[in-house]
Amino acid sequence: MIKSPRGTRDLLPPDTALWNFVEAAVRDVFRAYNFHEIRTPIFESTELFARGVGEETDIVAKEMFTWEDRGRAESDKGQSLTLRPENTAGVVRAYIEHKLWDRGLNKLFYIGPQFRRERPQKGRYRQFYQIGAEVIGPVSAGSQSPARDAEILELLATLLDRVGITNWTLELNSVGCPADRARFSEALRQALAPVVGKMCTDCQRRAVTNPLRVFDCKVPEDQPIIETLPTINEFLDDACRVHYEEVKSILDAVAIPYVENKRLVRGLDYYTRTAFEFTHGALGAQNAILGGGRYDGLSEALGGPAAPGIGFAIGEDRLVLSLTASAESVVRKPDVYIAPLGPGMNREAARVARELRRHDLVVDLGDESFRLKKSFEAADKMGARFILIVGENEVAAGAFALKNLASGEQETVPRAELAQRLLRK
Ligand code: HAM
């Protein structure tokens, strides 16, 4: 038997109803905050992620699905392509490529699959889905303002509330600007020098190439050493400190609770200033339901104009795992199952079904070859509210036998009144 590749999975009904419920709710929330949808390609040139996310991050160094294009055209040959491991770099590339600032498009959202070659476990997959949003634009549009950071965080609290997730924790930090980080990296290098020999090989490499990434280390034995390292907040300059204080004071004003986590640096290199994660207890080891932050230099790093930005991505798989609502509670069962009874009745049933569906009723059908018992079993199995018998006598009389499958009550309803009867709860 051919199975789906490691780390991928089929999303089946009724679970897909939960996914649709989540996506419909977040689209409503995005609309209220004036975000518009963007869809970027699922693969991009590898260079985009190397430059955008950072060569030394786990994502780029170990987790990307990358291949060399074997296209026929000379221009395709040898081009390195990668399945997107995240969507921020793609959105910023599109922002630059289409000069989106000219169109005043600075609040964008996306919903779609991402790919990382990680070790699969509960809540961690190789193909997973993100619901994300980015606010990006010229300084003149206020995109560097702490008000945007607070708006994004308040949107997230609203969004989680809307889908019924309550027990979240917002962890907040500021990772400063590049100059702060250069000073911090130097201090980290010095602090790591006497102890790095006792750390894992990844950390030994990171200590030389990009010491900040030491904070991404998950090796339990390294954690006591990481606990003793300096933290970024000691190195923030005045402007970054003021920015961070302002984000927190707006959050206080709109009553969004948060905890400060000085060791939160996020696993992507593009972050500046505000960095955050929302965690949820029910998720176990992979407890980050979403992450995000500010990336004021990303557009320039990708060859674009100055365009400060901030955004987030929710792990949709993890969001669905933390829902208390069940798939059964959001799935819409058939209002009526039509049982055509006897030769020629498929045609009549098709006509009745067409009439009823015009009224936004959920209708399913059997087949004229089915015995009544088989139709009842099929209607029961799909959880239909009513069964409607369409036989020769009913068609001739212009009225049909309609049976409520829960109560067992049966009535005869004239054809013209059927839809109204079924729309009544
Ligand atoms: P990230 O923290 O790498 O950030 O991913 C965001 C979220 O995606 C995580 O918190 C997690 O819920 C989910 N996620 C990541 N990897 C997996 C996986 N293998 N399986 C299941 N879920 C996963 C970003 O991707 C940034 N682009 C977010 C951002 C947008 N920052 C600014 N704008």
Side-chain angles (χ1 to χ4, degrees):
M1 188 187 22
I2 299 174
K3 293 189 171 170
S4 78
R6 187 165 135 82
T8 69
R9 56 200 187 126
D10 300 307
L11 301 173
L12 304 173
D15 288 351
T16 39
L18 269 184
W19 286 68
N20 284 325
F21 158 76
V22 164
E23 290 174 14
V26 304
R27 282 174 190 279
D28 277 354
V29 173
F30 283 134
R31 194 172 307 118
Y33 288 75
N34 195 29
F35 278 81
H36 296 277
E37 183 172 5
I38 182 166
R39 300 190 191 196
T40 63
I42 280 172
F43 60 90
E44 299 265 5
S45 69
T46 305
E47 190 193 352
L48 174 69
F49 304 114
R51 272 165 60 186
V53 177
E55 301 268 14
E56 195 51 43
T57 59
D58 280 352
I59 295 177
V60 174
K62 304 181 193 166
E63 297 170 359
M64 296 203 303
F65 289 93
T66 296
W67 71 98
E68 199 171 285
D69 194 19
R70 292 178 304 188
R72 292 209 184 142
E74 245 349 276
S75 55
D76 292 343
K77 277 202 188 116
Q79 198 196 353
S80 181
L81 299 170
T82 292
L83 289 181
R84 63 184 188 197
E86 62 99 55
N87 220 156
T88 308
V91 169
V92 177
R93 179 206 41 74
Y95 172 82
I96 299 166
E97 187 169 334
H98 305 287
K99 296 189 171 55
L100 293 186
W101 58 88
D102 274 350
R103 307 190 205 174
L105 280 174
N106 64 338
K107 285 172 127 180
L108 301 162
F109 78 90
Y110 49 84
I111 301 176
Q114 319 291 334
F115 305 85
R116 297 183 193 175
R117 191 184 282 103
E118 294 194 83
R119 202 165 43 76
Q121 63 179 84
K122 182 186 169 205
R124 191 164 71 194
Y125 310 99
R126 292 183 166 187
Q127 173 169 340
F128 59 99
Y129 293 79
Q130 284 187 340
I131 297 170
E134 315 291 348
V135 184
I136 178 168
V139 173
S140 59
S143 53
Q144 83 296 359
S145 165
R148 296 288 76 75
D149 307 45
E151 185 185 18
I152 281 280
L153 293 165
E154 192 272 328
L155 176 157
L156 281 165
T158 303
L159 195 156
L160 293 177
D161 195 35
R162 183 73 172 265
V163 296
I165 294 178
T166 45
N167 286 325
W168 47 263
T169 305
L170 160 55
E171 298 188 20
L172 192 63
N173 196 20
S174 173
V175 296
C177 49
D180 303 339
R181 270 216 303 288
R183 283 182 278 123
F184 178 47
S185 287
E186 195 40 49
L188 275 180
R189 254 190 207 105
Q190 284 177 20
L192 283 165
V195 289
V196 75
K198 296 185 218 136
M199 298 180 81
C200 69
T201 48
D202 274 346
C203 281
Q204 298 191 9
R205 196 191 64 244
R206 291 162 174 149
V208 180
T209 52
N210 190 348
L212 197 77
R213 297 269 66 94
V214 166
F215 288 99
D216 300 340
C217 178
K218 299 281 185 305
V219 177
E221 294 76 34
D222 287 1
Q223 300 310 311
I225 299 176
I226 294 170
E227 286 290 313
T228 66
L229 295 175
T231 53
I232 180 81
N233 57 309
E234 301 156 37
F235 297 85
L236 297 189
D237 65 19
D238 284 346
C240 289
R241 207 177 293 279
V242 168
H243 191 275
Y244 186 40
E245 290 305 319
E246 183 60 16
V247 174
K248 288 188 285 181
S249 84
I250 304 177
L251 288 180
D252 291 338
V254 291
I256 304 296
Y258 55 86
V259 295
E260 291 183 74
N261 176 355
K262 293 175 186 167
R263 284 174 215 285
L264 180 73
V265 295
R266 309 265 307 126
L268 301 91
D269 275 349
Y270 48 61
Y271 289 114
T272 55
R273 295 188 166 173
T274 310
F276 58 85
E277 281 180 0
F278 281 61
T279 54
H280 193 272
L283 285 170
Q286 302 303 318
N287 68 350
I289 201 166
L290 68 93
R294 193 162 260 297
Y295 44 85
D296 291 347
L298 181 55
S299 171
E300 284 145 298
L302 297 177
I310 179 163
F312 64 82
I314 303 173
E316 191 175 358
D317 308 75
R318 296 185 192 177
L319 185 72
V320 171
L321 274 173
S322 14
L323 289 182
T324 45
S326 69
E328 294 299 331
S329 71
V330 296
V331 87
R332 194 167 160 204
K333 299 272 176 60
D335 294 299
V336 62
Y337 178 91
I338 301 181
L341 196 61
M345 287 303 117
N346 275 346
R347 286 194 293 270
E348 295 300 332
R351 284 166 54 184
V352 177
R354 188 166 158 81
E355 283 161 29
L356 296 179
R357 285 177 178 141
R358 285 204 189 107
H359 293 269
D360 195 32
L361 287 158
V362 181
V363 179
D364 211 332
L365 296 163
D367 186 83
E368 61 189 26
S369 67
F370 291 2
R371 301 218 175 176
L372 210 45
K373 182 163 179 277
K374 183 166 174 179
S375 289
F376 269 90
E377 281 166 3
D380 249 347
K381 195 163 180 186
M382 66 179 67
R385 281 168 57 222
F386 289 92
I387 188 165
L388 183 79
I389 318 288
V390 176
E392 221 171 312
N393 295 344
E394 283 83 358
V395 173
F400 299 92
L402 181 71
K403 185 166 185 172
N404 183 319
L405 286 164
S407 68
E409 228 172 283
Q410 185 165 327
E411 57 193 308
T412 302
V413 183
R415 186 172 193 143
E417 290 166 28
L418 260 181
Q420 286 318 314
R421 173 64 196 90
L422 287 166
L423 285 165
R424 274 209 321 266
K425 285 290 150 199

